[in-house]
Amino acid sequence: MSALTSVDTASGAVHGGVSLVLGAMPRGAEPESHWAAGPWCFVGEEDFFPDWEDRFVFAPEPLRDLKVLERTAKEAQALCVDSLPALAARLCPHSAELPSPYWETLLTPWAIDVAKQIVERWQRVKAMTEAWGHLPLRVPLLPENCTFSFHGEHDFTLHGALGQTFNHWLLSRLLEAHWPRAWQKKMLPPLSEAYGDEAPADLKSRLRQWARRTQLRLLFPRLKGMSIRQALRFSLSLVHVSDGPDRSQPLAETYGSRATGVRADLPLDPLPLFLAALPQSLARLRHPERLKKHLFPPCLRVASVAAYEDAAYRQRLAVWRAHGNRLMYVQHGGNYGQVRVTCDTALVEYSQHAFGTWGWSEHAGSRGNFIPLPYPQIARIAGRWHGKNGRHLLFVGTEMPAYGYRLDAHPTPLQMIQYREDKQWFFEALGRSLQSRAFYRPYFDVPGALQDATWLLPRFPRVRLSTGPLTPQMLACRLLVLDHHGTTMLEALAANVPTVMFWTREAWPLTPESEALLDVLARAGIWFGTAEEAAAKVNQVWEDPVSWWRSAAVQAARRTYCALQAMMVKGSENPYWTQTLTKL
């Protein structure tokens, strides 16, 4: 990090006037005249600012402290839940006539996404003003009358939570309400931006959309890694009364500020911030006049994670809940049950009647009816590695958002810079010979992210880019390298792929249970705390990775990890699902 961050700001030395940039860094800006609110100032501009990571001053990073992060996540949850009645009233004149489960189910996936951004940016505003409030900074602000139109919830995530303009506007609103006297405002012209398409234009896309919506009507829709046959079979297992007490968690009584005593203490009314982020998919919905609990006993259905992005589908689930029925969510990737802090998952998914996991039954700091089940996505690749005669190393990376849009236990924006640099240190330590055998797999292109392959590969021209479906490449590679935990890690361990892992523990905080599992992998020489150690391990085992990977110690560690995070069973996984579903 730039020495200016710790030296100049500590001494209060600001010479010749300095601008604090909240949005995009202006072309031609120099470190002496422009400071950055965060790494996002250089998104899309990295080519114009060589070595920006080391040259420019950055605002303090407030969420490195795990306790602060945990409290901030609770503040976001409370803000979301406390705001639901006011949001419902804006969307429906008779909102009070509809039961709270309707509005909780319908609004929470979007509202918690917005609340996370508000509270995270508020933490940054407080950190900036506390550190620099006494300095005579000029700050360009976007005015209040900017407008944003998001077609759907996904559009808000991509272009609101990860959008440079929306974040500039959000920081402007929070900062203007908490303005230091020493600072000078510079108001920019208002902007109006729209994102997302109304509907797919071609016939193939419309047919695909129809098929998707049709299968979402099933009691058990087709989930990632499952077949339509399994979805139909599991749906039949849900055709029964859901006996026993309802384990669903009323959000206000569980996560609201009155229940937790936690408030974000914002300097302004948050409702206009929510409304600025309201997607058309929600705004255009028509709501029932009345919804009452059915007289007959409740039933259960499984919800797809499509509920996060599909307002029409979510409204169907909301009506289901309002009638007194129950929902179950199912883990659909890594990080569940592992990350030390989780925000939206606890509110949207864990709070329902049941949650199916890939093997774990406890997520420290979170409540829920967790039910371990062997997941088909894991079962279909269990033990299927066939790369014994493979010639290539496959390095798989993950997303590098420049904004703290998740508000969970992932690297902060400034830590993301170090995460990216660790890739460089790994390949440098790997050496030229193995670089020529290596493929690098970047994350999907998303807005608001640091450069990935375009940053790394020019530094190592011998390393090639991995494209196409990931799973076949993972199953056929000679050796896999991961610099993060997540879905690929669990799939690799289940498939028995020789794998070397590394990341900085402090940047990826895990639950105590998951930390203990990571220690198991570390003792077996699978996981390492630095890129250089991981590269040394790769060099050590490259000539015969099979002998190393199939050793008793390594396989014992792998099985221990899989037992709790990538559960596998002998035979078909289907009976475990049908027996569980018929009892819920």
Side-chain angles (χ1 to χ4, degrees), residues 111-348:
I112 185 58
D113 196 5
V114 181
K116 288 188 301 183
Q117 315 316 317
I118 295 173
V119 173
E120 202 272 355
R121 307 307 182 268
W122 171 229
Q123 289 287 359
R124 294 188 175 278
V125 164
K126 289 191 292 184
M128 282 190 287
T129 54
E130 182 178 350
W132 297 343
H134 62 291
L135 303 176
L137 301 180
R138 294 192 302 267
V139 189
L141 302 178
L142 283 176
E144 186 175 359
N145 60 341
C146 293
T147 60
F148 304 91
S149 178
F150 305 102
H151 176 64
E153 292 88 334
H154 189 54
D155 295 316
F156 171 73
T157 299
L158 291 181
H159 305 290
L162 289 168
Q164 209 167 48
T165 302
F166 182 83
N167 273 285
H168 189 173
W169 177 84
L170 178 57
L171 286 167
S172 296
R173 300 287 68 72
L174 293 166
L175 189 52
E176 197 169 29
H178 189 68
W179 192 257
R181 292 183 178 180
W183 291 11
Q184 178 185 352
K185 296 180 187 179
K186 178 185 178 183
M187 300 305 296
L188 300 172
L191 298 175
S192 179
E193 297 189 354
Y195 308 97
D197 298 324
E198 287 292 325
D202 60 285
L203 178 61
K204 185 177 180 180
S205 297
R206 292 200 298 271
L207 288 173
R208 188 183 297 114
Q209 187 180 77
W210 173 84
R212 174 179 171 275
R213 289 178 175 173
T214 299
Q215 64 90 13
L216 285 176
R217 292 181 178 274
L218 295 172
L219 289 178
F220 194 115
R222 183 184 179 185
L223 305 182
K224 179 185 177 184
M226 290 188 178
S227 66
I228 188 64
R229 185 174 181 177
Q230 286 175 313
L232 292 171
R233 181 175 181 176
F234 298 160
S235 292
L236 290 175
S237 299
L238 288 171
V239 183
H240 65 87
V241 171
S242 182
D243 293 320
D246 188 352
R247 294 177 176 268
S248 307
Q249 302 168 21
L251 297 188
E253 298 172 19
T254 311
Y255 297 99
S257 59
R258 288 186 179 180
T260 63
V262 175
R263 294 180 183 274
D265 193 27
L266 298 171
L268 75 177
D269 179 6
L271 186 60
L273 305 181
F274 278 99
L275 295 177
L278 182 68
Q280 293 300 312
S281 59
L282 267 176
R284 294 174 180 174
L285 287 178
R286 299 182 66 180
H287 305 280
E289 290 296 325
R290 294 190 174 74
L291 286 169
K292 294 183 178 180
K293 283 189 177 183
H294 286 159
L295 296 178
F296 43 83
C299 296
L300 174 74
R301 72 185 297 168
V302 169
S304 165
V305 292
Y308 278 96
E309 301 174 359
D310 188 331
Y313 170 57
R314 201 163 63 247
Q315 187 178 40
R316 192 177 306 124
L317 298 179
V319 171
W320 174 268
R321 285 285 291 119
H323 284 322
N325 296 307
R326 302 165 182 182
L327 289 178
M328 174 182 179
Y329 274 89
V330 178
Q331 178 176 349
H332 68 283
N335 297 325
Y336 284 93
Q338 295 190 63
V339 294
R340 183 67 174 270
V341 179
T342 182
C343 189
D344 52 351
T345 303
L347 218 58
V348 177

